Structures are given as structure tokens and as C-alpha cells.
Amino acid sequence: MNVRDLYVRRGDPIMPAWSRLLEWTKQFRLFAGRGIRFTRTPNGTFVIADQNTLSWDHPFRAQVSDKEAAITLGTINKLVPTINGVALDAITVPKLKIAGGPNTDLRSWICVDVRVDLESGEIKIEDKDVITITHVRELDPRTSEGGSPDDGRGTGRHPLAMLIWNTDKSSIRRTHQITHFNQQHRFIVASDSQPSRHLFWPE
């Protein structure tokens, strides 16, 4: 069919052109590919796509199963974090135990904690556990169980992923990834006008 046959000039009846349009559309058929389903109803056809999204193996990706997490290699200021004293780039990749359960909002986080010297603001790279991957129920280091000796001021915390728990708090329903890139960190020493701050940004 010539598409121009569907044009209607001012003053011409519309219905003949509409009928030609309906006949023209009948030549097109829907074909279901992989993961595609059709549901035909009197009001039309619904197309349902059941396709798994491709995973991106980015830095700090958290893969959680059976209350432990595997974290892909990522860096803070080019430094590799540790889990229980084992670096993320070790031959045997460490796993993070998901212990302690969620908070009252059924949330918890996998985070990277960075400790700095409060006076110089520098990361003491001679300490192999100065940058660690942790599982916490609160993002503020000062409210963490065990707390740090400096009341959290010398510890910067950056969330890598948020865990959403089931209502019975026995299992994790979903993992929401937050961080997708290697990170840079800077500590701003407290002054008379403002408290100390930890800054993180993508590398």
C-alpha cells in the first residue's frame, strides 16, 4: 500500500482512510523472541519481557548469599580494603559475614570504613586494616557496636550496598547496590567554625 493513500484532505471523509489504515496494519504480526510473552485481550495485546539484565562486574559489587557477601575488588585512594585482615585482592578472596541483622527499618549496609589520624588527616598506610569492609546496622560510625576510641570522628564510612531484609529478620530479601566505582577519600580536619569531615567521591 502507498502510504499516501492514508492521507485525508480537508473536506474528505475520514472513515474510508481509517478503513484502509486498519487493513494496512493487519499485515504486521508480533513475533515473540527469547524471554518475550504475549497476552492477548479484547482490548489489545500485552507484551511481557522476562529478560535478565546483564551484570556489570564493577568495583565494590556486593553479591550476597546465605548471610555472607563477596565483594569485588575496589580501592580507596588506590589502597585495597580488607575483610577480617584479608585483602580483597588476595588469592583466596575473603567473604564478609552478614551478622547482627537489620535495624528497626529492616535495613543494614555493607560499608567501607577508613580510619585517619585526627591531627594530620592522613591514612596510616602501614596499618593493613586501616581500610576495612564491614556490615553495619547504622551508617554513623559513632552509633556502631563497639564504637571507635575517637567516638567515630576519625573513621569515615561510605556505603557500598544496602541490604533489605524480610519482615521476620531471618533473611535478606534484596540487595541495593550503591557504589559502582573506585573511590577517593579526603579528611578535613576540624576547625573553629566546623567539625571534621570525611569526603568520598568516585575515582
Side-chain angles (χ1 to χ4, degrees):
M1 172 181 285
N2 191 332
V3 177
R4 291 186 176 276
D5 293 339
L6 303 177
Y7 291 171
V8 177
R9 297 177 182 175
R10 180 177 295 183
D12 290 345
I14 294 176
M15 288 308 298
W18 179 254
S19 297
R20 291 194 296 271
L21 176 62
L22 293 179
E23 288 298 321
W24 180 63
T25 58
K26 288 180 182 179
Q27 66 179 309
F28 300 105
R29 295 181 57 192
L30 295 175
F31 295 92
R34 180 181 298 177
I36 304 297
R37 292 181 290 115
F38 296 144
T39 299
R40 291 182 169 84
T41 71
N43 296 321
T45 301
F46 293 91
V47 180
I48 300 104
D50 296 326
Q51 292 185 315
N52 294 325
T53 57
L54 295 176
S55 62
W56 173 30
D57 204 20
H58 54 78
F60 291 123
R61 180 183 174 210
Q63 298 171 285
V64 181
S65 63
D66 196 26
K67 291 201 176 177
E68 72 175 11
I71 312 297
T72 58
L73 178 61
T75 60
I76 304 289
N77 292 3
K78 306 292 186 184
L79 301 173
V80 177
T82 63
I83 296 176
N84 297 324
V86 182
L88 289 182
D89 60 355
I91 295 176
T92 302
V93 180
K95 296 291 183 68
L96 177 68
K97 295 293 183 183
I98 307 298
N103 60 17
T104 54
D105 296 322
L106 300 177
R107 302 288 188 270
S108 67
W109 289 266
I110 295 173
C111 298
V112 59
D113 284 359
V114 180
R115 292 200 314 274
V116 301
D117 181 84
L118 284 174
E119 294 183 1
S120 67
E122 299 295 325
I123 298 173
K124 294 184 175 181
I125 59 175
E126 63 272 14
D127 180 359
K128 70 173 185 176
D129 292 328
V130 73
I131 304 176
T132 58
I133 306 292
T134 59
H135 172 250
V136 297
R137 289 185 289 185
E138 302 296 339
L139 288 176
D140 189 342
R142 293 171 296 180
T143 61
S144 297
E145 295 179 3
S148 55
D150 54 53
D151 195 27
R153 291 175 298 141
T155 301
R157 175 167 289 168
H158 180 72
L160 302 179
M162 180 174 67
L163 308 182
I164 303 172
W165 294 66
N166 288 312
T167 53
D168 61 2
K169 300 183 180 181
S170 65
S171 60
I172 297 163
R173 178 163 52 93
R174 186 159 56 92
T175 301
H176 175 68
Q177 186 71 37
I178 298 172
T179 299
H180 297 84
F181 301 96
N182 294 322
Q183 298 290 306
Q184 287 288 315
H185 167 270
R186 181 184 177 193
F187 178 70
I188 299 178
V189 179
S191 65
D192 294 336
S193 59
Q194 65 181 11
S196 58
R197 291 179 294 163
H198 291 267
L199 303 178
F200 291 87
W201 67 93
E203 186 177 83

mmCIF file of all heavy atoms in Angstrom, residues 1-41:
data_model
loop_
_atom_site.group_PDB
_atom_site.id
_atom_site.type_symbol
_atom_site.label_atom_id
_atom_site.label_comp_id
_atom_site.label_asym_id
_atom_site.label_seq_id
_atom_site.Cartn_x
_atom_site.Cartn_y
_atom_site.Cartn_z
ATOM 1 N N MET A 1 0.842 -1.190 0.000
ATOM 2 C CA MET A 1 0.000 0.000 0.000
ATOM 3 C C MET A 1 0.877 1.240 0.000
ATOM 4 O O MET A 1 1.903 1.290 0.679
ATOM 5 C CB MET A 1 -0.911 0.016 1.229
ATOM 6 C CG MET A 1 -1.678 1.326 1.386
ATOM 7 S SD MET A 1 -2.725 1.352 2.841
ATOM 8 C CE MET A 1 -4.039 0.294 2.306
ATOM 9 N N ASN A 2 0.455 2.215 -0.747
ATOM 10 C CA ASN A 2 1.111 3.513 -0.749
ATOM 11 C C ASN A 2 0.638 4.286 0.477
ATOM 12 O O ASN A 2 -0.571 4.464 0.683
ATOM 13 C CB ASN A 2 0.759 4.272 -2.041
ATOM 14 C CG ASN A 2 1.625 5.507 -2.211
ATOM 15 O OD1 ASN A 2 2.077 6.087 -1.237
ATOM 16 N ND2 ASN A 2 1.826 5.910 -3.461
ATOM 17 N N VAL A 3 1.579 4.762 1.251
ATOM 18 C CA VAL A 3 1.216 5.475 2.475
ATOM 19 C C VAL A 3 0.385 6.709 2.159
ATOM 20 O O VAL A 3 -0.449 7.136 2.962
ATOM 21 C CB VAL A 3 2.493 5.850 3.270
ATOM 22 C CG1 VAL A 3 2.140 6.663 4.513
ATOM 23 C CG2 VAL A 3 3.255 4.601 3.680
ATOM 24 N N ARG A 4 0.582 7.272 0.998
ATOM 25 C CA ARG A 4 -0.193 8.457 0.642
ATOM 26 C C ARG A 4 -1.691 8.170 0.560
ATOM 27 O O ARG A 4 -2.514 9.086 0.648
ATOM 28 C CB ARG A 4 0.308 9.024 -0.693
ATOM 29 C CG ARG A 4 1.700 9.637 -0.592
ATOM 30 C CD ARG A 4 2.095 10.315 -1.897
ATOM 31 N NE ARG A 4 3.375 10.973 -1.771
ATOM 32 C CZ ARG A 4 3.538 12.192 -1.268
ATOM 33 N NH1 ARG A 4 2.475 12.863 -0.851
ATOM 34 N NH2 ARG A 4 4.732 12.735 -1.186
ATOM 35 N N ASP A 5 -2.057 6.878 0.382
ATOM 36 C CA ASP A 5 -3.477 6.518 0.352
ATOM 37 C C ASP A 5 -4.142 6.739 1.704
ATOM 38 O O ASP A 5 -5.369 6.721 1.812
ATOM 39 C CB ASP A 5 -3.650 5.054 -0.064
ATOM 40 C CG ASP A 5 -3.229 4.832 -1.517
ATOM 41 O OD1 ASP A 5 -3.197 5.821 -2.281
ATOM 42 O OD2 ASP A 5 -2.915 3.674 -1.862
ATOM 43 N N LEU A 6 -3.313 6.915 2.768
ATOM 44 C CA LEU A 6 -3.864 7.121 4.104
ATOM 45 C C LEU A 6 -4.097 8.597 4.410
ATOM 46 O O LEU A 6 -4.708 8.931 5.410
ATOM 47 C CB LEU A 6 -2.917 6.527 5.157
ATOM 48 C CG LEU A 6 -2.584 5.049 5.000
ATOM 49 C CD1 LEU A 6 -1.583 4.623 6.064
ATOM 50 C CD2 LEU A 6 -3.850 4.195 5.075
ATOM 51 N N TYR A 7 -3.594 9.486 3.519
ATOM 52 C CA TYR A 7 -3.765 10.914 3.756
ATOM 53 C C TYR A 7 -5.208 11.329 3.503
ATOM 54 O O TYR A 7 -5.885 10.785 2.629
ATOM 55 C CB TYR A 7 -2.849 11.724 2.844
ATOM 56 C CG TYR A 7 -1.363 11.589 3.163
ATOM 57 C CD1 TYR A 7 -0.403 12.122 2.305
ATOM 58 C CD2 TYR A 7 -0.938 10.929 4.313
ATOM 59 C CE1 TYR A 7 0.948 11.999 2.572
ATOM 60 C CE2 TYR A 7 0.413 10.802 4.588
ATOM 61 C CZ TYR A 7 1.350 11.326 3.731
ATOM 62 O OH TYR A 7 2.679 11.206 4.009
ATOM 63 N N VAL A 8 -5.673 12.273 4.274
ATOM 64 C CA VAL A 8 -7.025 12.817 4.115
ATOM 65 C C VAL A 8 -6.912 14.328 3.953
ATOM 66 O O VAL A 8 -6.269 15.000 4.766
ATOM 67 C CB VAL A 8 -7.915 12.488 5.331
ATOM 68 C CG1 VAL A 8 -9.300 13.132 5.162
ATOM 69 C CG2 VAL A 8 -8.046 10.985 5.494
ATOM 70 N N ARG A 9 -7.517 14.830 2.904
ATOM 71 C CA ARG A 9 -7.517 16.271 2.683
ATOM 72 C C ARG A 9 -8.695 16.908 3.406
ATOM 73 O O ARG A 9 -9.659 16.240 3.776
ATOM 74 C CB ARG A 9 -7.599 16.568 1.188
ATOM 75 C CG ARG A 9 -6.412 16.054 0.387
ATOM 76 C CD ARG A 9 -6.614 16.324 -1.087
ATOM 77 N NE ARG A 9 -5.507 15.806 -1.886
ATOM 78 C CZ ARG A 9 -5.494 15.841 -3.207
ATOM 79 N NH1 ARG A 9 -6.514 16.350 -3.889
ATOM 80 N NH2 ARG A 9 -4.448 15.349 -3.857
ATOM 81 N N ARG A 10 -8.590 18.190 3.602
ATOM 82 C CA ARG A 10 -9.675 18.916 4.244
ATOM 83 C C ARG A 10 -10.948 18.760 3.430
ATOM 84 O O ARG A 10 -10.970 18.971 2.208
ATOM 85 C CB ARG A 10 -9.313 20.395 4.375
ATOM 86 C CG ARG A 10 -10.425 21.222 5.043
ATOM 87 C CD ARG A 10 -10.012 22.664 5.227
ATOM 88 N NE ARG A 10 -8.898 22.761 6.162
ATOM 89 C CZ ARG A 10 -8.355 23.922 6.556
ATOM 90 N NH1 ARG A 10 -8.831 25.061 6.078
ATOM 91 N NH2 ARG A 10 -7.348 23.924 7.393
ATOM 92 N N GLY A 11 -12.020 18.335 4.124
ATOM 93 C CA GLY A 11 -13.316 18.148 3.479
ATOM 94 C C GLY A 11 -13.587 16.719 3.053
ATOM 95 O O GLY A 11 -14.742 16.352 2.796
ATOM 96 N N ASP A 12 -12.525 15.849 2.967
ATOM 97 C CA ASP A 12 -12.723 14.453 2.584
ATOM 98 C C ASP A 12 -13.225 13.653 3.775
ATOM 99 O O ASP A 12 -12.916 13.957 4.933
ATOM 100 C CB ASP A 12 -11.412 13.842 2.094
ATOM 101 C CG ASP A 12 -10.974 14.399 0.748
ATOM 102 O OD1 ASP A 12 -11.814 15.027 0.086
ATOM 103 O OD2 ASP A 12 -9.790 14.204 0.379
ATOM 104 N N PRO A 13 -14.014 12.605 3.538
ATOM 105 C CA PRO A 13 -14.460 11.751 4.654
ATOM 106 C C PRO A 13 -13.279 10.981 5.254
ATOM 107 O O PRO A 13 -12.355 10.562 4.547
ATOM 108 C CB PRO A 13 -15.476 10.814 3.996
ATOM 109 C CG PRO A 13 -15.102 10.807 2.557
ATOM 110 C CD PRO A 13 -14.544 12.160 2.244
ATOM 111 N N ILE A 14 -13.315 10.801 6.542
ATOM 112 C CA ILE A 14 -12.205 10.159 7.248
ATOM 113 C C ILE A 14 -12.326 8.643 7.244
ATOM 114 O O ILE A 14 -11.332 7.929 7.159
ATOM 115 C CB ILE A 14 -12.114 10.693 8.699
ATOM 116 C CG1 ILE A 14 -11.741 12.181 8.676
ATOM 117 C CG2 ILE A 14 -11.098 9.904 9.513
ATOM 118 C CD1 ILE A 14 -11.715 12.805 10.040
ATOM 119 N N MET A 15 -13.538 8.102 7.335
ATOM 120 C CA MET A 15 -13.730 6.674 7.532
ATOM 121 C C MET A 15 -13.101 5.814 6.435
ATOM 122 O O MET A 15 -12.513 4.769 6.743
ATOM 123 C CB MET A 15 -15.215 6.347 7.669
ATOM 124 C CG MET A 15 -15.806 6.801 8.994
ATOM 125 S SD MET A 15 -14.881 6.233 10.429
ATOM 126 C CE MET A 15 -15.040 4.459 10.267
ATOM 127 N N PRO A 16 -13.175 6.170 5.169
ATOM 128 C CA PRO A 16 -12.503 5.325 4.153
ATOM 129 C C PRO A 16 -10.999 5.214 4.395
ATOM 130 O O PRO A 16 -10.418 4.132 4.260
ATOM 131 C CB PRO A 16 -12.809 6.044 2.843
ATOM 132 C CG PRO A 16 -14.078 6.770 3.104
ATOM 133 C CD PRO A 16 -13.986 7.231 4.537
ATOM 134 N N ALA A 17 -10.375 6.328 4.760
ATOM 135 C CA ALA A 17 -8.931 6.293 5.048
ATOM 136 C C ALA A 17 -8.651 5.466 6.302
ATOM 137 O O ALA A 17 -7.652 4.739 6.375
ATOM 138 C CB ALA A 17 -8.391 7.715 5.210
ATOM 139 N N TRP A 18 -9.542 5.583 7.281
ATOM 140 C CA TRP A 18 -9.388 4.799 8.508
ATOM 141 C C TRP A 18 -9.471 3.303 8.210
ATOM 142 O O TRP A 18 -8.696 2.502 8.742
ATOM 143 C CB TRP A 18 -10.444 5.211 9.522
ATOM 144 C CG TRP A 18 -10.378 4.444 10.818
ATOM 145 C CD1 TRP A 18 -11.234 3.474 11.240
ATOM 146 C CD2 TRP A 18 -9.376 4.574 11.843
ATOM 147 N NE1 TRP A 18 -10.859 3.002 12.457
ATOM 148 C CE2 TRP A 18 -9.713 3.654 12.867
ATOM 149 C CE3 TRP A 18 -8.257 5.376 11.995
ATOM 150 C CZ2 TRP A 18 -8.951 3.515 14.008
ATOM 151 C CZ3 TRP A 18 -7.503 5.244 13.139
ATOM 152 C CH2 TRP A 18 -7.840 4.317 14.131
ATOM 153 N N SER A 19 -10.405 2.917 7.341
ATOM 154 C CA SER A 19 -10.551 1.503 6.962
ATOM 155 C C SER A 19 -9.307 1.012 6.230
ATOM 156 O O SER A 19 -8.845 -0.120 6.441
ATOM 157 C CB SER A 19 -11.794 1.321 6.074
ATOM 158 O OG SER A 19 -12.964 1.672 6.790
ATOM 159 N N ARG A 20 -8.760 1.855 5.354
ATOM 160 C CA ARG A 20 -7.532 1.471 4.664
ATOM 161 C C ARG A 20 -6.371 1.295 5.651
ATOM 162 O O ARG A 20 -5.538 0.390 5.489
ATOM 163 C CB ARG A 20 -7.179 2.524 3.610
ATOM 164 C CG ARG A 20 -8.129 2.564 2.426
ATOM 165 C CD ARG A 20 -7.560 3.354 1.273
ATOM 166 N NE ARG A 20 -7.363 4.756 1.605
ATOM 167 C CZ ARG A 20 -8.296 5.698 1.442
ATOM 168 N NH1 ARG A 20 -9.496 5.376 0.949
ATOM 169 N NH2 ARG A 20 -8.029 6.952 1.744
ATOM 170 N N LEU A 21 -6.336 2.159 6.676
ATOM 171 C CA LEU A 21 -5.291 2.055 7.698
ATOM 172 C C LEU A 21 -5.411 0.739 8.461
ATOM 173 O O LEU A 21 -4.398 0.062 8.718
ATOM 174 C CB LEU A 21 -5.377 3.239 8.661
ATOM 175 C CG LEU A 21 -4.400 3.227 9.848
ATOM 176 C CD1 LEU A 21 -2.956 3.261 9.354
ATOM 177 C CD2 LEU A 21 -4.668 4.399 10.781
ATOM 178 N N LEU A 22 -6.630 0.336 8.817
ATOM 179 C CA LEU A 22 -6.829 -0.921 9.534
ATOM 180 C C LEU A 22 -6.390 -2.109 8.697
ATOM 181 O O LEU A 22 -5.776 -3.052 9.197
ATOM 182 C CB LEU A 22 -8.293 -1.069 9.945
ATOM 183 C CG LEU A 22 -8.803 -0.071 11.004
ATOM 184 C CD1 LEU A 22 -10.277 -0.317 11.292
ATOM 185 C CD2 LEU A 22 -7.991 -0.194 12.286
ATOM 186 N N GLU A 23 -6.718 -2.078 7.404
ATOM 187 C CA GLU A 23 -6.310 -3.162 6.527
ATOM 188 C C GLU A 23 -4.787 -3.211 6.409
ATOM 189 O O GLU A 23 -4.180 -4.290 6.349
ATOM 190 C CB GLU A 23 -6.938 -2.982 5.144
ATOM 191 C CG GLU A 23 -8.430 -3.266 5.102
ATOM 192 C CD GLU A 23 -8.744 -4.706 5.484
ATOM 193 O OE1 GLU A 23 -7.974 -5.618 5.071
ATOM 194 O OE2 GLU A 23 -9.734 -4.921 6.194
ATOM 195 N N TRP A 24 -4.159 -2.046 6.389
ATOM 196 C CA TRP A 24 -2.707 -1.967 6.267
ATOM 197 C C TRP A 24 -2.008 -2.550 7.498
ATOM 198 O O TRP A 24 -1.018 -3.261 7.396
ATOM 199 C CB TRP A 24 -2.313 -0.512 6.049
ATOM 200 C CG TRP A 24 -0.842 -0.277 5.910
ATOM 201 C CD1 TRP A 24 -0.030 -0.756 4.934
ATOM 202 C CD2 TRP A 24 -0.013 0.500 6.778
ATOM 203 N NE1 TRP A 24 1.265 -0.326 5.116
ATOM 204 C CE2 TRP A 24 1.297 0.462 6.251
ATOM 205 C CE3 TRP A 24 -0.249 1.253 7.930
ATOM 206 C CZ2 TRP A 24 2.371 1.121 6.855
ATOM 207 C CZ3 TRP A 24 0.807 1.922 8.512
ATOM 208 C CH2 TRP A 24 2.105 1.841 7.993
ATOM 209 N N THR A 25 -2.567 -2.276 8.684
ATOM 210 C CA THR A 25 -1.932 -2.760 9.918
ATOM 211 C C THR A 25 -2.067 -4.269 10.086
ATOM 212 O O THR A 25 -1.283 -4.875 10.825
ATOM 213 C CB THR A 25 -2.534 -2.062 11.156
ATOM 214 O OG1 THR A 25 -3.954 -2.299 11.198
ATOM 215 C CG2 THR A 25 -2.262 -0.560 11.125
ATOM 216 N N LYS A 26 -3.008 -4.888 9.403
ATOM 217 C CA LYS A 26 -3.191 -6.335 9.551
ATOM 218 C C LYS A 26 -2.027 -7.131 8.982
ATOM 219 O O LYS A 26 -1.852 -8.306 9.301
ATOM 220 C CB LYS A 26 -4.496 -6.769 8.869
ATOM 221 C CG LYS A 26 -5.740 -6.346 9.620
ATOM 222 C CD LYS A 26 -7.002 -6.800 8.886
ATOM 223 C CE LYS A 26 -8.256 -6.341 9.621
ATOM 224 N NZ LYS A 26 -9.486 -6.746 8.899
ATOM 225 N N GLN A 27 -1.208 -6.501 8.139
ATOM 226 C CA GLN A 27 -0.078 -7.222 7.554
ATOM 227 C C GLN A 27 1.068 -7.382 8.550
ATOM 228 O O GLN A 27 1.987 -8.168 8.320
ATOM 229 C CB GLN A 27 0.424 -6.483 6.312
ATOM 230 C CG GLN A 27 1.030 -5.130 6.601
ATOM 231 C CD GLN A 27 1.533 -4.420 5.357
ATOM 232 O OE1 GLN A 27 2.277 -5.005 4.576
ATOM 233 N NE2 GLN A 27 1.084 -3.189 5.164
ATOM 234 N N PHE A 28 1.022 -6.631 9.662
ATOM 235 C CA PHE A 28 2.091 -6.701 10.646
ATOM 236 C C PHE A 28 1.712 -7.690 11.753
ATOM 237 O O PHE A 28 0.617 -7.634 12.313
ATOM 238 C CB PHE A 28 2.362 -5.327 11.259
ATOM 239 C CG PHE A 28 2.769 -4.304 10.248
ATOM 240 C CD1 PHE A 28 1.882 -3.324 9.831
ATOM 241 C CD2 PHE A 28 4.038 -4.322 9.689
ATOM 242 C CE1 PHE A 28 2.247 -2.386 8.891
ATOM 243 C CE2 PHE A 28 4.411 -3.385 8.742
ATOM 244 C CZ PHE A 28 3.517 -2.414 8.335
ATOM 245 N N ARG A 29 2.630 -8.587 12.072
ATOM 246 C CA ARG A 29 2.384 -9.577 13.114
ATOM 247 C C ARG A 29 3.458 -9.458 14.183
ATOM 248 O O ARG A 29 4.602 -9.065 13.914
ATOM 249 C CB ARG A 29 2.403 -10.991 12.526
ATOM 250 C CG ARG A 29 1.286 -11.259 11.550
ATOM 251 C CD ARG A 29 1.391 -12.691 11.049
ATOM 252 N NE ARG A 29 1.358 -13.640 12.152
ATOM 253 C CZ ARG A 29 1.655 -14.940 12.018
ATOM 254 N NH1 ARG A 29 2.039 -15.410 10.843
ATOM 255 N NH2 ARG A 29 1.591 -15.744 13.059
ATOM 256 N N LEU A 30 3.096 -9.796 15.406
ATOM 257 C CA LEU A 30 4.036 -9.788 16.525
ATOM 258 C C LEU A 30 4.665 -11.168 16.659
ATOM 259 O O LEU A 30 3.969 -12.189 16.625
ATOM 260 C CB LEU A 30 3.315 -9.413 17.823
ATOM 261 C CG LEU A 30 2.736 -8.000 17.894
ATOM 262 C CD1 LEU A 30 1.946 -7.820 19.180
ATOM 263 C CD2 LEU A 30 3.830 -6.957 17.784
ATOM 264 N N PHE A 31 5.978 -11.194 16.795
ATOM 265 C CA PHE A 31 6.689 -12.447 16.978
ATOM 266 C C PHE A 31 7.415 -12.402 18.326
ATOM 267 O O PHE A 31 8.124 -11.436 18.626
ATOM 268 C CB PHE A 31 7.698 -12.680 15.846
ATOM 269 C CG PHE A 31 7.060 -12.860 14.503
ATOM 270 C CD1 PHE A 31 6.853 -11.778 13.651
ATOM 271 C CD2 PHE A 31 6.642 -14.123 14.093
ATOM 272 C CE1 PHE A 31 6.260 -11.948 12.412
ATOM 273 C CE2 PHE A 31 6.054 -14.299 12.860
ATOM 274 C CZ PHE A 31 5.856 -13.215 12.015
ATOM 275 N N ALA A 32 7.226 -13.437 19.115
ATOM 276 C CA ALA A 32 7.854 -13.487 20.435
ATOM 277 C C ALA A 32 9.271 -14.043 20.327
ATOM 278 O O ALA A 32 9.486 -15.120 19.789
ATOM 279 C CB ALA A 32 7.024 -14.359 21.383
ATOM 280 N N GLY A 33 10.230 -13.266 20.836
ATOM 281 C CA GLY A 33 11.602 -13.741 20.893
ATOM 282 C C GLY A 33 11.895 -14.361 22.249
ATOM 283 O O GLY A 33 10.997 -14.662 23.032
ATOM 284 N N ARG A 34 13.175 -14.572 22.524
ATOM 285 C CA ARG A 34 13.572 -15.185 23.787
ATOM 286 C C ARG A 34 13.152 -14.302 24.959
ATOM 287 O O ARG A 34 13.465 -13.115 25.008
ATOM 288 C CB ARG A 34 15.085 -15.380 23.811
ATOM 289 C CG ARG A 34 15.584 -16.010 25.110
ATOM 290 C CD ARG A 34 17.082 -16.165 25.099
ATOM 291 N NE ARG A 34 17.518 -17.064 24.033
ATOM 292 C CZ ARG A 34 18.793 -17.325 23.769
ATOM 293 N NH1 ARG A 34 19.753 -16.723 24.465
ATOM 294 N NH2 ARG A 34 19.105 -18.160 22.798
ATOM 295 N N GLY A 35 12.429 -14.902 25.903
ATOM 296 C CA GLY A 35 12.001 -14.179 27.096
ATOM 297 C C GLY A 35 10.820 -13.249 26.876
ATOM 298 O O GLY A 35 10.470 -12.478 27.765
ATOM 299 N N ILE A 36 10.181 -13.314 25.695
ATOM 300 C CA ILE A 36 9.050 -12.432 25.389
ATOM 301 C C ILE A 36 7.768 -13.252 25.353
ATOM 302 O O ILE A 36 7.710 -14.313 24.733
ATOM 303 C CB ILE A 36 9.240 -11.722 24.031
ATOM 304 C CG1 ILE A 36 10.565 -10.956 24.011
ATOM 305 C CG2 ILE A 36 8.071 -10.785 23.743
ATOM 306 C CD1 ILE A 36 10.658 -9.845 25.013
ATOM 307 N N ARG A 37 6.738 -12.758 26.045
ATOM 308 C CA ARG A 37 5.436 -13.433 26.062
ATOM 309 C C ARG A 37 4.355 -12.439 25.664
ATOM 310 O O ARG A 37 4.459 -11.249 25.934
ATOM 311 C CB ARG A 37 5.132 -13.984 27.460
ATOM 312 C CG ARG A 37 6.049 -15.128 27.875
ATOM 313 C CD ARG A 37 5.691 -15.662 29.247
ATOM 314 N NE ARG A 37 6.013 -14.721 30.314
ATOM 315 C CZ ARG A 37 5.128 -14.130 31.097
ATOM 316 N NH1 ARG A 37 3.827 -14.357 30.926
ATOM 317 N NH2 ARG A 37 5.506 -13.303 32.047
ATOM 318 N N PHE A 38 3.289 -12.960 25.021
ATOM 319 C CA PHE A 38 2.142 -12.142 24.639
ATOM 320 C C PHE A 38 0.920 -12.557 25.450
ATOM 321 O O PHE A 38 0.691 -13.739 25.693
ATOM 322 C CB PHE A 38 1.811 -12.304 23.148
ATOM 323 C CG PHE A 38 2.886 -11.811 22.224
ATOM 324 C CD1 PHE A 38 3.144 -12.466 21.030
ATOM 325 C CD2 PHE A 38 3.630 -10.684 22.538
ATOM 326 C CE1 PHE A 38 4.125 -12.019 20.166
ATOM 327 C CE2 PHE A 38 4.616 -10.229 21.684
ATOM 328 C CZ PHE A 38 4.863 -10.900 20.493
ATOM 329 N N THR A 39 0.163 -11.571 25.858
ATOM 330 C CA THR A 39 -1.152 -11.818 26.457
ATOM 331 C C THR A 39 -2.166 -11.025 25.646
ATOM 332 O O THR A 39 -2.169 -9.789 25.677
ATOM 333 C CB THR A 39 -1.194 -11.369 27.931
ATOM 334 O OG1 THR A 39 -0.219 -12.106 28.674
ATOM 335 C CG2 THR A 39 -2.573 -11.620 28.522
ATOM 336 N N ARG A 40 -3.007 -11.767 24.893
ATOM 337 C CA ARG A 40 -3.972 -11.110 24.026
ATOM 338 C C ARG A 40 -5.307 -10.983 24.742
ATOM 339 O O ARG A 40 -5.824 -11.945 25.299
ATOM 340 C CB ARG A 40 -4.119 -11.893 22.718
ATOM 341 C CG ARG A 40 -2.874 -11.824 21.843
ATOM 342 C CD ARG A 40 -3.036 -12.556 20.526
ATOM 343 N NE ARG A 40 -1.947 -12.265 19.603
ATOM 344 C CZ ARG A 40 -0.772 -12.906 19.612
ATOM 345 N NH1 ARG A 40 -0.552 -13.877 20.505
ATOM 346 N NH2 ARG A 40 0.172 -12.563 18.750
ATOM 347 N N THR A 41 -5.847 -9.778 24.722
ATOM 348 C CA THR A 41 -7.137 -9.483 25.350
ATOM 349 C C THR A 41 -8.011 -8.747 24.347
ATOM 350 O O THR A 41 -7.519 -8.281 23.304
ATOM 351 C CB THR A 41 -6.938 -8.595 26.602
ATOM 352 O OG1 THR A 41 -6.560 -7.276 26.176
ATOM 353 C CG2 THR A 41 -5.863 -9.160 27.523
#
